[in-house]
Structures are given as structure tokens and as C-alpha cells.
């Protein structure tokens, strides 16, 4: 390969978008530098299963270096990008800097507390493995404290789990906690009674899964209720402090509060000095470029993008991957047509053998939707080892209600994604 004239492409983020882009540029006459602050690619759609102890972190993550072991044109840097200078075409990292001819930002999003970052300490969100482990450890520690509790009031507080946000992540978390708490943990704690476990899902709107058809939203609500989840709709959270959630419908005392109510783009987008939407995503043009910068692209959850028909492209994994393939094509072959999003549908799981899915005009619920969901999630896991492990864990969990990922290894773990401690300097 003649390295002298190769274009230098720098990709920030090895999530769904960045990884797919690097794969599309693999073994091409391009020097790719793929930067991520973590050493692994994470399959976020199954993160809630790590948080609820159904899976281990290694089941849903893969080391980035191994993925590109046989890719001589792809250099991996494990570091955090902290600022960008589009004039000198340089990305500054925590340690050192990298120059580019083309820059593609795929740093994703993180949870947003709508200006109330102080809530994060009491209500962690779910975005990284460290978040999932923190939630998992809180869950198991609460059972331990409840088992030892001399006061009824403390016991009830430790056995109350509040999930804020009724979108797919909130629904999945609520269903998984209800199942794990009642079926997996309860038999190991002889002093806890089933009716003492309270799982409460709150949402400000009048429906769960707002983007889904009404019939599937209603099904989701009744499926969760049958699993023992109390669904409180039209309930807006106004404050979260230690063990207390305040809403317009009263306060809830709970030792476990999980935030699944909002997202905002990576703060790195601010470094681009370009127009952003209200959740901080860069507003990109039809080639995924930021206006006035033909060599800077933003893809995935950090981009606000409309497709040919003027419809907003959703912030989901398939959209990030399609945008990545499109940008690879622009870099390799030049600009041609408008980015076109192919909607492959949406799905959310509720619990064992219960899910909802919308694929074109085909709407399904219950076992059929769950089988589709399981098949698709196994299929898209990054490597064969993960597929095999997840499949065997699920079969075991399905048959025995028992999960192996229940160790407490670091009760004082801190979330890496602590909003107040981000090192990004823009
Ligand atoms: C809990 C959860 C469940 C989800 N479930 C589904 C689902 O079922 N189906 C679905 O389609 N989508 C789902 N999503 C959404 C989906 O995961 C995202 O849409 C998708 O990951 C977006 O891809 P991305 O490449 O934009 O960002 P990401 O996949 O988030 O990747 C961003 C990467 O950038 C890295 N990074 C960020 N900032 C920096 C920096 N400054 N320097 C270096 N590296 C950085 C991060 O470490 C990360 O690896 C879910 C998301 C979550 C959190």
C-alpha cells in the first residue's frame, strides 16, 4: 500500500456508527485512526441485562483491537478526544493529538437530566458498562440490606425500585428488575416476602413506548402490570434526592432509582462550533457534513439528520450503521446522492417471552415478538463468542430462572460518565 498519498480519516467513537465506518474502510487505501475512550465496542441494547444481572459485561462487549487485528490500515487509539480544531484539522486527546484530512464524529449520546445534573448521583442512567455494574450492585446490595433490616420502613425503602422514563430502556429495565428480583433473587433471601418488592415505572406522558402504536403500548403496560410492575403514567418527576423521588403525584421512597428519561448528544459536538438542535446534536446536511466543512462528518446519536423525504432519522443503532456506510461511500467515491434511511422497524422486550415489535406493517407482541427480538439481538452481537455465550445464558435463565452474574465486586464503584466530571473542554 502506498502510504504517502493515503487520505487520513480520523473516527471518534467505536460504537455502532464508528465501528461500522472503520469496517467499511478496512483494507482500503486510506489511513484510518479509530479513537475511543474505552478499549471495547459495547452492544448497548443488551446493557440492561448486565444491569439486571442476567448477563456479564464480557458477553456484550468486544475489544476494539481484536476486531481490527488483521486490518493494517486501521490504527486504534484508546484515549478521550477533548477538543477539535477544524481550522488546523487537529483532534486533541487527553494525551497528544491527531491530524486528519477527514474527521468523522460518532461519539454518541449520554443521559440527560434536563438541567438537573445533581440527580445523577441518586438516579444513575444506563449508557456504559460502569453504569450497568453500578445499577446491578445497588440492586443486590439493597436486597442484602433489606434482609438485615430491623426497621420495616428501611426494609420497604430498600425493596422499592423506581425507573424513571417509559421508553424502550425504561420498559426493559422495569421488566428485567421485576423478573430478577422475584424469580432469581427472592429464593436466596428467606426474610423477604414477594409482596414487599415494589417495582415502579413512572412516565410523564399518558402512554408507555410513545413511538409505538397504541395497541402495543397498552399491551406493554398490562404485561408489565401482570409481572408486578406498578406503572404510573402522567407522573412527572420534579426532584430526586437521596432515596426520595418527588413527583406531581406524591413522593416515593426508594433506595434504587434508575434514570431512563432523556438523552443528549456528546459534549464534544460543541467543539465544532456548528448549529445544534435542542439536545445538542449537530445539524448535518444531506451528506452528513456540518455546513461549511466538507471534510467533517457527524453520524449516529450525535447527529440531527433528515432523510430524502424530510423525515427525522431516529437515534438508534441501525441508523448509525447506515450513516456510517453512507459516509464511507462519500469518502471513497465522492458525493453522490442524499442519505436515505431504510427503516427496519423497532422492538422492545418486556420480559421472558414478552416483547413488542413493529416491522413495516407487521406488528407483533408476546412470544412471536420476543423470538424476533432474541434472534435479531443474537445476530447483531459483535462476535461468535458473544453470540454463543448470550444464547447459552438465555437458555439457562429461561429454563432455571437463575443467572450467574450476581457478584458484588466493588460496592463503591463510580460511574465513568459522571456528567459533572466530563473532561471535554468545549
Ligand atoms: C440502554 C440502551 C439500550 C438501547 N437499545 C437499543 C435497541 O434495542 N435498538 C437500537 O437500535 N438502539 C438501541 N439503543 C440506542 C443505540 O445504542 C444507539 O442509537 C447507538 O449506540 C448510537 O450509535 P453511535 O455510534 O452514535 O454511538 P455509540 O454506540 O454510543 O458509541 C459512541 C462511542 O464513542 C465513544 N466516545 C464518546 N465520547 C468520546 C470521546 N470524547 N473520545 C473518545 N471516545 C468517545 C464511546 O466510548 C462509545 O464507544 C440503546 C441505547 C441504550 C443506552
Amino acid at each position: 500500500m502506498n502510504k504517502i498519498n493515503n487520505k487520513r480519516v480520523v473516527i471518534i467513537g467505536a460504537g455502532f456508527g464508528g465501528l461500522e465506518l472503520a469496517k467499511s474502510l478496512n483494507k482500503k487505501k486510506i489511513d484510518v485512526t479509530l479513537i475511543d475512550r474505552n478499549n471495547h465496542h459495547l452492544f448497548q441494547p443488551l446493557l440492561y441485562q448486565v444491569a439486571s444481572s442476567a448477563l456479564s459485561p464480557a458477553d456484550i462487549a468486544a475489544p476494539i483491537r481484536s476486531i481490527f487485528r488483521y486490518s493494517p490500515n486501521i490504527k486504534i487509539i484508546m484515549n478521550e478526544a477533548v477538543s477539535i480544531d477544524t481550522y488546523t484539522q487537529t483532534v486533541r486527546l487527553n494525551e497528544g493529538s491527531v491530524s486528519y484530512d477527514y474527521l468523522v464524529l460518532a461519539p454518541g449520546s449520554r443521559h440527560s437530566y434536563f438541567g438537573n445534573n445533581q440527580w445523577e448521583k441518586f438516579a444513575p442512567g444506563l449508557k456504559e458498562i460502569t453504569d450497568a455494574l453500578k445499577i446491578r450492585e445497588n440492586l443486590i446490595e439493597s436486597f442484602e440490606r433489606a434482609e438485615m433490616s430491623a426497621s420495616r420502613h428501611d426494609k420497604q425503602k430498600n425493596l422499592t425500585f423506581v425507573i424513571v422514563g417509559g421508553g424502550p430502556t425504561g420498559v426493559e429495565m422495569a421488566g428485567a428488575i421485576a423478573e430478577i428480583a422475584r424469580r432469581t433473587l427472592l429464593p436466596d433471601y428467606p426474610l423477604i416476602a414477594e409482596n414487599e418488592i415494589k417495582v415502579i415505572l413512572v412516565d410523564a406522558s399518558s402512554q408507555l413506548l410513545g413511538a409505538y402504536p397504541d395497541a402495543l403500548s397498552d399491551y406493554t403496560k398490562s404485561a408489565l402490570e401482570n409481572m408486578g410492575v406498578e406503572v404510573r403514567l402522567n407522573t412527572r418527576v420534579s426532584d430526586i434526592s437521596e432515596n426520595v423521588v418527588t413527583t406531581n403525584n406524591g413522593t416515593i421512597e426508594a433506595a434504587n432509582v434508575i434514570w431512563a428519561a432523556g438523552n443528549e448528544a456528546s459534549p464534544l459536538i460543541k467543539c465544532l462550533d456548528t448549529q445544534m438542535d435542542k439536545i445538542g446534536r449537530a445539524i448535518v446536511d444531506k451528506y452528513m457534513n456540518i455546513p461549511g466543512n466538507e471534510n467533517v462528518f457527524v453520524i449516529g446519536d450525535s447527529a440531527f439528520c433528515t432523510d430524502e423525504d424530510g423525515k427525522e432519522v431516529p437515534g438508534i443503532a441501525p441508523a448509525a450503521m447506515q450513516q456510517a456506510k453512507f459516509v464511507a461511500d462519500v469518502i471513497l467515491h465522492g458525493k453522490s446522492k442524499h442519505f436515505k434511511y431504510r427503516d427496519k422497524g423497532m422492538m422492545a422486550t418486556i420480559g421472558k417471552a414478552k416483547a413488542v415489535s413493529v416491522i413495516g406493517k407487521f406488528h407483533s407482541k408476546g412470544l412471536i415478538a420476543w423470538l424476533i427480538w432474541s434472534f435479531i439481538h443474537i445476530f447483531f452481537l459483535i462476535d461468535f463468542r458473544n453470540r454463543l455465550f448470550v444464547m447459552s445464558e438465555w437458555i439457562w435463565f429461561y429454563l432455571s430462572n437463575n443467572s450467574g452474574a450476581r457478584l458484588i465486586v466493588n460496592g463503591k464503584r463510580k460511574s465513568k460518565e459522571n456528567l459533572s466530571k466530563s473532561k471535554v473542554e468545549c
Side-chain angles (χ1 to χ4, degrees), residues 62-123:
I64 302 163
R65 285 189 188 277
S66 314
I67 300 169
F68 294 105
R69 180 178 291 172
Y70 304 109
S71 309
N73 70 320
I74 299 177
K75 179 179 165 192
I76 312 294
I77 296 182
M78 187 188 127
N79 213 307
E80 182 168 22
V82 291
S83 69
I84 296 162
D85 186 337
T86 51
Y87 185 69
T88 57
Q89 304 199 165
T90 312
V91 176
R92 196 158 68 75
L93 308 174
N94 256 334
E95 287 142 41
S97 60
V98 190
S99 299
Y100 62 83
D101 296 314
Y102 291 98
L103 174 65
V104 186
L105 279 98
S109 58
R110 55 187 198 159
H111 28 270
S112 147
Y113 292 83
F114 311 118
N116 297 292
N117 286 356
Q118 71 278 10
W119 296 352
E120 187 190 24
K121 198 164 132 201
F122 312 111

Side-chain angles (χ1 to χ4, degrees), residues 108-152:
S109 58
R110 55 187 198 159
H111 28 270
S112 147
Y113 292 83
F114 311 118
N116 297 292
N117 286 356
Q118 71 278 10
W119 296 352
E120 187 190 24
K121 198 164 132 201
F122 312 111
L126 188 58
K127 186 68 193 170
E128 301 229 6
I129 283 180
T130 44
D131 301 325
L133 292 176
K134 187 175 174 181
I135 291 172
R136 183 178 94 181
E137 289 177 4
N138 286 349
L139 176 92
I140 301 170
E141 280 177 352
S142 286
F143 265 76
E144 293 295 337
R145 281 197 300 268
E147 179 82 356
M148 298 288 294
S149 184
S151 122
R152 231 184 137 140

